[in-house]
Amino acid sequence: MYCEKCGADNSETAVFCRKCGVAMAEMETRVAARSAMADVPQSRVQSPMSNVQNSSAIEREVFAIAPTMKFVKAGYIGAAVAAILLVGIVSALLSSYVPIWVAVILGLLLFLVPGFYHLKQKFLRYTLTETKLEIDSGFISRNTRNVPLRRVQDVTVSATPWQRLLGIGDLVIDNASDDGGKTMLKNIDTPKRYADELLEQMRRLER
């Protein structure tokens, strides 16, 4: 066994180096520790700071909502009724002028209007995390706006008579960000419930 300090060759049973007197047992411990660390994959070796950053980057999701689908469903129903009436009128009164298949195609095209609004609402989402409100929007290009909860000054539920009848409403959020102004979450089902959850999360941050 070679001494790490002076390089002298010692027997396997030597307790101290015959040249410099360093304890051989201490060197064996250091060599074994280095070998064990070399066997650990580098991907598994993380500093305490990286663990803190990873844990802080993950935020709990309080809720994720989208505008109500009641208007879209009503649009589909209206398109279906209009398509049936169109085909019926053409077949009963205008069959000699307009082929039935043309009326059927025109009736199917009526579904494009509620279908467009359906897709538009599918790509609009409001997400509340522990520290911020995220607003994701956009169909072709995606935009994300973040409103820190510490800058929110007031949360108001606004509902017209028609919205109250349908059980929906708007959440109006006043914030003290650089651009200021208001953030509105439009046509939300049970808006008071989500307003209470937002206010509760703001109170938790203040503790």
Side-chain angles (χ1 to χ4, degrees):
M1 178 182 296
Y2 291 94
C3 177
E4 281 192 341
K5 185 174 182 180
C6 65
D9 188 9
N10 297 274
S11 63
E12 296 293 335
T13 58
V15 179
F16 299 95
C17 177
R18 62 181 178 81
K19 185 175 180 181
C20 63
V22 173
M24 302 300 291
E26 181 180 351
M27 286 192 296
E28 288 180 357
T29 302
R30 290 201 299 267
V31 171
R34 285 200 300 269
S35 299
M37 287 299 295
D39 293 336
V40 178
Q42 291 298 320
S43 60
R44 296 178 56 187
V45 179
Q46 295 182 348
S47 65
M49 183 60 67
S50 64
N51 292 333
V52 171
Q53 292 175 349
N54 291 336
S55 61
S56 62
I58 301 175
E59 288 191 22
R60 182 177 63 89
E61 184 180 287
V62 179
F63 65 71
I65 56 177
T68 182
M69 297 296 293
K70 292 178 180 178
F71 296 121
V72 173
K73 293 177 181 178
Y76 280 122
I77 295 173
V81 172
I84 293 172
L85 290 175
L86 177 62
V87 173
I89 292 173
V90 170
S91 62
L93 303 176
L94 304 173
S95 58
S96 58
Y97 302 101
V98 181
I100 298 298
W101 63 268
V102 174
V104 172
I105 292 177
L106 292 176
L108 293 176
L109 290 177
L110 293 175
F111 287 91
L112 292 178
V113 176
F116 170 76
Y117 286 101
H118 190 176
L119 283 177
K120 186 177 179 181
Q121 291 196 185
K122 277 289 186 181
F123 289 93
L124 178 60
R125 195 164 187 83
Y126 310 119
T127 304
L128 176 66
T129 67
E130 292 178 315
T131 61
K132 63 182 180 298
L133 177 67
E134 297 179 355
I135 304 173
D136 294 322
S137 61
F139 178 60
I140 297 176
S141 61
R142 197 71 173 164
N143 298 318
T144 300
R145 181 186 177 192
N146 295 321
V147 180
L149 293 186
R150 294 189 181 277
R151 294 187 176 182
V152 174
Q153 296 175 322
D154 186 38
V155 179
T156 306
V157 176
S158 174
T160 64
W162 283 107
Q163 287 178 318
R164 292 181 61 186
L165 185 63
L166 296 174
I168 63 177
D170 303 331
L171 288 185
V172 183
I173 300 170
D174 291 317
N175 64 85
S177 58
D178 295 336
D179 55 354
K182 300 178 184 292
T183 301
M184 183 175 293
L185 282 57
K186 296 183 178 180
N187 296 325
I188 302 299
D189 288 312
T190 61
K192 189 176 184 306
R193 167 195 165 191
Y194 294 110
D196 291 340
E197 290 187 23
L198 199 157
L199 291 171
E200 177 61 26
Q201 189 60 36
M202 290 169 58
R203 283 191 288 267
R204 291 175 183 172
L205 288 178
E206 293 175 354
R207 293 172 185 172

